[in-house]
Amino acid sequence: VQLQASGGGLVQAGGSLRLSCAASGRIFSHYSRGWFRRAPGKEREFVAAIGRRGNTYTDSVKGRFTISRDGASNTVYLQMDNLKPEDTAVYYCAVRTSDILTSRGELYANWGQGTQVTVSS
């Protein structure tokens, strides 16, 4: 499975961006997908995950970010609204061969290359 993340960019605080993560290869319907981010000088952080059992978000993005998936194209999206400077990071998408949602990055099997999101104040 290969993942390609896109959609990052520079936006002012309060603005929106939509990230996409396209998957190629064999993606089964029970696989779950996640978004993570790494800010400069910080450790990787879980953002959101989606699967057959629903979705989950880290507290800091609840109400502002929405994760969704297009099963036909194996693409997962992260709609980011009301962006804040603290959302600035490289965003990574990942896939897990399980439908159990988790924020633990080490449980995801494949990762995309990352897309930079920069939010100016």
Side-chain angles (χ1 to χ4, degrees):
V1 175
Q2 291 188 325
L3 303 175
Q4 179 74 37
S6 61
L10 172 64
V11 65
Q12 289 188 329
S16 298
L17 283 173
R18 187 194 195 204
L19 305 184
S20 299
C21 178
S24 60
R26 213 164 194 181
I27 298 284
F28 293 100
S29 60
H30 68 275
Y31 286 4
S32 54
R33 308 278 291 273
W35 284 98
F36 293 76
R37 64 188 180 187
R38 187 190 298 273
K42 295 187 177 181
E43 294 186 352
R44 184 179 63 197
E45 175 190 26
F46 169 77
V47 177
I50 189 168
R52 292 191 304 186
R53 301 182 182 214
N55 51 50
T56 185
Y57 301 88
T58 191
D59 286 345
S60 63
V61 308
K62 284 180 181 177
R64 300 188 299 121
F65 291 11
T66 303
I67 189 170
S68 61
R69 69 193 302 176
D70 179 344
S73 65
N74 285 330
T75 301
V76 171
Y77 304 96
L78 186 67
Q79 177 67 40
M80 305 186 295
D81 298 317
N82 191 22
L83 282 159
K84 303 177 180 181
E86 52 263 43
D87 295 318
T88 295
V90 177
Y91 283 71
Y92 300 89
C93 59
V95 62
R96 181 172 188 232
T97 59
S98 166
D99 62 354
I100 299 175
L101 301 181
T102 182
S103 62
R104 294 174 58 188
E106 67 271 24
L107 297 182
Y108 288 78
N110 299 85
W111 293 79
Q113 85 291 358
T115 184
Q116 176 71 49
V117 171
T118 304
V119 184
S120 63
S121 57

